[in-house]
Amino acid sequence: MDVSISDISTLSLPEGAEITVKGWVRTRRDSKSGVSFINLSDGSCFNSLQIVIPKEIFNYQSEILKITTGCSIVVNGCIVKSKGREQNFELRAEEVNVVGWVKDPDTYPMSSKRHSIEYLREHAHLRPRTNIIGSVTRVRNCIAQAIHRYFSEQGFMWVSTPIITASDCEGAGEMFRVSTLDLNNIPHDSNGNVDFKEDFFGKETFLTVSGQLNTETYACALSKVYTFGPTFRAENSNTSRHLAEFWMVEPEVAFSDLEQSAQLAESLLKYICKAVLLERKDDMNFFVQHVDSSAISRLENLIDMDFITVDYTQAVDILVDSGRKFDFPVYWGVDLSSEHERYLTEEHFNAPVIVINYPKEIKAFYMKVNDDGKTVAAMDVLAPGIGEIIGGSQREHRIDVLDERIIEMGMNPDDYGWYRELRTYGTVPHAGFGLGLERMVAYVTGVSNVRDVIPFPRTPRNASF
Amino acid sequence: MDVSISDISTLSLPEGAEITVKGWVRTRRDSKSGVSFINLSDGSCFNSLQIVIPKEIFNYQSEILKITTGCSIVVNGCIVKSKGREQNFELRAEEVNVVGWVKDPDTYPMSSKRHSIEYLREHAHLRPRTNIIGSVTRVRNCIAQAIHRYFSEQGFMWVSTPIITASDCEGAGEMFRVSTLDLNNIPHDSNGNVDFKEDFFGKETFLTVSGQLNTETYACALSKVYTFGPTFRAENSNTSRHLAEFWMVEPEVAFSDLEQSAQLAESLLKYICKAVLLERKDDMNFFVQHVDSSAISRLENLIDMDFITVDYTQAVDILVDSGRKFDFPVYWGVDLSSEHERYLTEEHFNAPVIVINYPKEIKAFYMKVNDDGKTVAAMDVLAPGIGEIIGGSQREHRIDVLDERIIEMGMNPDDYGWYRELRTYGTVPHAGFGLGLERMVAYVTGVSNVRDVIPFPRTPRNASF
């Protein structure tokens, strides 16, 4: 029977069961009595499987003793109970076929010694063979599946919003241009400007920074929708929290206000954390032992604690009254920076915090203006250990107020024709938020740099692989 | 109690239950006896809910009688059994609040009359309010969720492959350039060439045409993986089957051959069709009535029938022997065109067909060369009613043969360094395929143009919304 290593425990295979497993060798050691032990990994779970190979096997001398880390093998054998090891069983090999050798084993980049996370990044095509990146991949998958499952269970429809766009959602983002123009022969119009009429889409196009404006159109028809796909920022930010290409989930709900959106955010985050603790105990134990000792307890706390909602104005008061000297000064009207957010969530409240009602000057044009005329119905969800993890808002659904805001921000209402029509044809209060997948995976695993939680990171001057 | 329209049947709410529903008005009609009937849709399912509004309601004259198609309303009322209608229940309104009016109802683009599918495309921000696009959206969601669920149940890990890439998977695709270079001031190197060192990533970058090469790296560590994301073609194809931006699911399995990949493809397609028939009976009935009378029977057939595997060489013989006059001539070595594929699947076999072992000259460099030296282990899955829906292959895992193929195709092995290393470090036979989401949704629904099964289609000269 062909099985994966994770099957062996989930299927509760009995001792003596004949199985075939396939995978890559982590380590080999040979006992003096003429038995070899191989740790085999197939990526299906954190644990590798110990293979016990008696010297009687026909290719013991010719092949088994030459097996090195990274070789691929197929093993037939019987399950036996093992004593005194972490795992309860091992495989007594009856036949071992070497499928792929490792060329020049001494220089194999993923040798069994411990490598730095920066070194692994340089070998992104081989790093999933390591414990840490294997675990990150399984947890990332678990989180993504949990997100789809959560929204599905709640009656949301996944909609795919366009990646290539002619509009700039935020009104200010730094964007990548998408083009098929020949750079050696740029067409110009009669005024000497680049003639994008000649480009593939007949106009200037970019990579999306958010699917929100598009999800609003579907929310205003299907009530509960979400988009989950890649988004882009052409920012020259070389930090542990920024990627030029990252995945974002953005729910949008009709007939919904900021408070309900905050509840949805809390519920989603708790659902994700529960799924990880339930389904990826193996990988989370690894993170606790080798990356961040609080990886599990942090998630347990997030699940147990009620999120605290605090007004931006009140948050500023707390920060001013703290007596703490921050690098960036705090006053009403300032955008909270990371140090402020972390003080609030990690020190003052020691709980997840949802800051709401920000000054309208520091937020986007589409956010609903509150009755005070000064603030908008925006929220940021802050979690201990990472800071801001979700940003969202109730959207301005009143056409007159929306138009005022567009003009106030120096933009042209005519550029937002279809978006404005959602407000003239059966407008409804609606709200949503964005959760960055990589920040969530980093938060959950304790891995500190988002470049290590996405398979092939794109950052300034790096699009390798 | 706040409920969606789909909740009313799934929760089996009893007669007399007090509920609140929210949505958009489809139609209103007024009886002579002073009762108004509104069909309300909230997108949660195909059916709208009939709201019965007695004239005694306080805003009957001032508001109810002014409600038009597209208005958003919130209704409180009691569930009552309805007689002689398609649905079993209706809502007797006690309170109706108009949330959003429709400006200038006579010109509302989504009036209750029937619109052409081309007209709807021009109003992509409002078309999800129609029956057909609402149904497409729910079926598309159902298919996407089924895909994630299927792979999850089978032990696959979702990996996100990069959208921005410096490599060209197919070796020949027409690609979109991604850049932040100032088109009015293109930098040049000392040889007069465009200096991509000055670009964001320090080299020339494009939008991906496939995540396959990247998934192979993860399959060679985690055994079973899949990518599911947007892919791009800068082809000037204005057909009903082509989009510049479309979603593709690409599984990749280590220790797997072409036959197993064909089985996986068959199993996935059947799983998707079963999920749609089970979960979206309401929408499928609509497609049968208004789009394609065989929409359901086609899926039932696909589920019931064993897929037929046929060698390319044999397929060519069948086509030659058919006596049929094709627009494109058939001979060994030709790439099968749509008319050939449809003859095979719709006329000759009248079943889904998997054509395998194509001439190597017409296939990509990474496909495994068969023992005959002339063909490669490629497959195309053809389904009656649409033709090719899946393309895949076993990958060449032998470094010497891969290198020969790369050189044979006029490419440089040095450009494939990391890809080649998968063959020198524990190489394994592996295989996978690609399924285009939009073609699948078109196939399932019977909607004939892929522009109508993705929310905001991107095609030559069109990146609206």
Side-chain angles (χ1 to χ4, degrees), chain A residues 40-89:
Chain A
L40 187 73
S41 168
D42 67 2
S44 63
C45 56
F46 179 80
N47 285 326
S48 52
L49 177 65
Q50 172 149 290
I51 316 280
V52 184
I53 309 176
K55 63 170 183 252
E56 288 73 22
I57 273 185
F58 87 93
N59 56 345
Y60 189 80
Q61 293 292 333
S62 61
E63 296 198 313
I64 304 301
L65 290 179
K66 293 173 185 160
I67 286 173
T68 60
T69 299
C71 285
S72 51
I73 61 175
V74 175
V75 185
N76 298 316
C78 281
I79 294 175
V80 292
K81 295 254 181 218
S82 67
K83 294 156 203 147
R85 294 188 69 249
E86 277 176 46
Q87 289 164 262
N88 304 321
F89 37 75

Side-chain angles (χ1 to χ4, degrees), chain B residues 48-314:
Chain B
S48 52
L49 177 64
Q50 172 150 291
I51 315 280
V52 185
I53 309 176
K55 64 172 183 249
E56 289 74 23
I57 273 185
F58 87 93
N59 56 346
Y60 189 79
Q61 292 292 333
S62 61
E63 295 197 313
I64 304 302
L65 291 179
K66 293 174 186 161
I67 286 174
T68 60
T69 300
C71 286
S72 53
I73 62 175
V74 175
V75 185
N76 298 317
C78 281
I79 294 175
V80 293
K81 294 255 182 221
S82 67
K83 294 155 202 147
R85 295 189 68 248
E86 278 177 45
Q87 289 162 264
N88 303 321
F89 37 75
E90 55 194 25
L91 190 67
R92 182 161 294 270
E94 284 155 15
E95 197 184 341
V96 178
N97 288 308
V98 180
V99 177
W101 294 97
V102 165
K103 184 185 167 188
D104 202 358
D106 292 342
T107 63
Y108 178 51
M110 296 295 117
S111 63
S112 60
K113 72 168 187 181
R114 199 165 172 171
H115 303 284
S116 77
I117 196 93
E118 293 78 16
Y119 171 87
L120 294 182
R121 229 176 269 155
E122 301 293 312
H123 298 86
H125 60 310
L126 299 174
R127 67 176 180 166
R129 302 179 182 198
T130 62
N131 278 333
I132 186 165
I133 302 300
S135 288
V136 162
T137 305
R138 285 183 295 272
V139 169
R140 183 182 168 98
N141 170 66
C142 172
I143 290 173
Q145 303 290 352
I147 288 169
H148 284 299
R149 212 165 55 232
Y150 174 82
F151 285 118
S152 228
E153 288 170 7
Q154 302 285 324
F156 283 69
M157 302 287 161
W158 173 72
V159 297
S160 42
T161 48
I163 308 301
I164 299 171
T165 176
S167 65
D168 173 357
C169 169
E170 304 287 336
E174 292 184 70
M175 299 173 87
F176 291 102
R177 176 179 293 106
V178 174
S179 171
T180 56
L181 290 180
D182 179 357
L183 295 187
N184 289 309
N185 193 11
I186 304 271
H188 290 88
D189 62 20
S190 55
N191 296 321
N193 297 320
V194 176
D195 188 4
F196 289 106
K197 285 206 186 68
E198 301 283 312
D199 209 346
F200 188 90
F201 295 107
K203 60 173 114 170
E204 193 172 11
T205 52
F206 304 95
L207 291 179
T208 184
V209 297
S210 162
Q212 179 204 317
L213 303 197
N214 295 92
T215 55
E216 287 185 52
T217 67
Y218 270 67
C220 292
L222 294 155
S223 301
K224 298 202 267 186
V225 300
Y226 70 109
T227 184
F228 187 8
T231 47
F232 305 85
R233 295 283 188 287
E235 279 168 27
N236 200 3
S237 302
N238 262 307
T239 83
S240 62
R241 287 167 57 84
H242 290 88
L243 292 165
E245 173 182 321
F246 58 100
W247 283 68
M248 187 149 65
V249 55
E250 298 177 272
E252 189 73 32
V253 184
F255 298 100
S256 174
D257 60 19
L258 188 66
E259 193 184 334
Q260 289 164 321
S261 207
Q263 285 161 0
L264 184 69
E266 178 173 349
S267 158
L268 171 65
L269 290 176
K270 289 181 172 178
Y271 185 96
I272 291 171
C273 293
K274 282 180 199 165
V276 171
L277 292 181
L278 189 70
E279 298 167 24
R280 297 264 53 112
K281 216 173 178 50
D282 55 348
D283 296 308
M284 290 309 294
N285 283 331
F286 168 80
F287 291 121
V288 166
Q289 284 166 37
H290 295 281
V291 176
D292 177 354
S293 59
S294 66
I296 288 180
S297 59
R298 192 171 54 234
L299 302 195
E300 288 170 342
N301 284 340
L302 187 132
I303 293 166
D304 288 342
M305 279 192 283
D306 288 329
F307 287 26
I308 293 167
T309 300
V310 57
D311 232 74
Y312 167 87
T313 301
Q314 194 186 341

Side-chain angles (χ1 to χ4, degrees), chain A residues 113-167:
Chain A
K113 72 167 187 181
R114 197 163 173 174
H115 302 285
S116 77
I117 196 94
E118 293 79 14
Y119 171 87
L120 294 182
R121 230 176 269 157
E122 301 292 311
H123 298 84
H125 60 311
L126 300 173
R127 67 177 180 167
R129 303 178 181 199
T130 62
N131 277 334
I132 186 166
I133 301 299
S135 289
V136 161
T137 305
R138 285 183 295 272
V139 169
R140 183 182 167 97
N141 171 65
C142 172
I143 290 173
Q145 303 289 352
I147 288 169
H148 284 298
R149 214 165 54 231
Y150 174 82
F151 284 118
S152 228
E153 288 170 5
Q154 302 285 324
F156 284 68
M157 303 286 160
W158 173 72
V159 296
S160 43
T161 48
I163 308 302
I164 299 172
T165 176
S167 65

Side-chain angles (χ1 to χ4, degrees), chain A residues 169-182:
Chain A
C169 169
E170 304 285 337
E174 292 185 72
M175 300 173 87
F176 290 103
R177 176 179 293 106
V178 174
S179 173
T180 55
L181 291 179
D182 178 356

Side-chain angles (χ1 to χ4, degrees), chain B residues 228 246-249 389-391 434-442:
Chain B
F228 187 8
F246 58 100
W247 283 68
M248 187 149 65
V249 55
I389 193 156
I390 280 178
L435 167 65
L437 179 61
E438 285 72 24
R439 288 198 185 170
M440 189 67 200
V441 180

Side-chain angles (χ1 to χ4, degrees), chain A residues 167-329:
Chain A
S167 65
D168 173 356
C169 169
E170 304 285 337
E174 292 185 72
M175 300 173 87
F176 290 103
R177 176 179 293 106
V178 174
S179 173
T180 55
L181 291 179
D182 178 356
L183 294 187
N184 289 310
N185 192 12
I186 304 270
H188 289 88
D189 62 19
S190 55
N191 296 320
N193 297 319
V194 176
D195 188 4
F196 288 107
K197 285 208 185 66
E198 302 282 311
D199 210 345
F200 187 90
F201 296 107
K203 58 174 116 170
E204 194 172 12
T205 52
F206 305 94
L207 291 179
T208 185
V209 298
S210 161
Q212 180 204 315
L213 303 197
N214 295 92
T215 56
E216 287 185 53
T217 68
Y218 270 66
C220 291
L222 294 156
S223 300
K224 298 202 267 187
V225 301
Y226 70 108
T227 185
F228 188 8
T231 46
F232 305 85
R233 294 282 188 287
E235 280 168 27
N236 200 5
S237 302
N238 262 307
T239 82
S240 63
R241 288 167 56 83
H242 290 89
L243 292 166
E245 172 182 321
F246 58 100
W247 283 67
M248 185 147 69
V249 55
E250 298 176 89
E252 189 73 32
V253 184
F255 299 99
S256 173
D257 60 18
L258 187 67
E259 192 184 336
Q260 289 164 322
S261 206
Q263 285 162 0
L264 183 69
E266 178 172 351
S267 159
L268 171 66
L269 290 175
K270 289 182 173 178
Y271 185 96
I272 292 171
C273 293
K274 281 179 198 165
V276 170
L277 291 181
L278 190 70
E279 298 166 24
R280 297 265 50 114
K281 218 173 176 51
D282 55 348
D283 297 308
M284 290 307 295
N285 283 331
F286 168 80
F287 291 121
V288 165
Q289 284 166 40
H290 294 281
V291 176
D292 177 352
S293 60
S294 65
I296 289 180
S297 59
R298 193 172 53 235
L299 302 194
E300 288 169 341
N301 284 339
L302 186 131
I303 293 166
D304 287 343
M305 278 192 284
D306 289 327
F307 287 26
I308 292 166
T309 301
V310 57
D311 231 73
Y312 166 88
T313 302
Q314 193 187 342
V316 168
D317 287 346
I318 290 167
L319 292 164
V320 168
D321 294 347
S322 71
R324 178 70 59 102
K325 217 175 134 47
F326 295 108
D327 292 341
F328 295 90

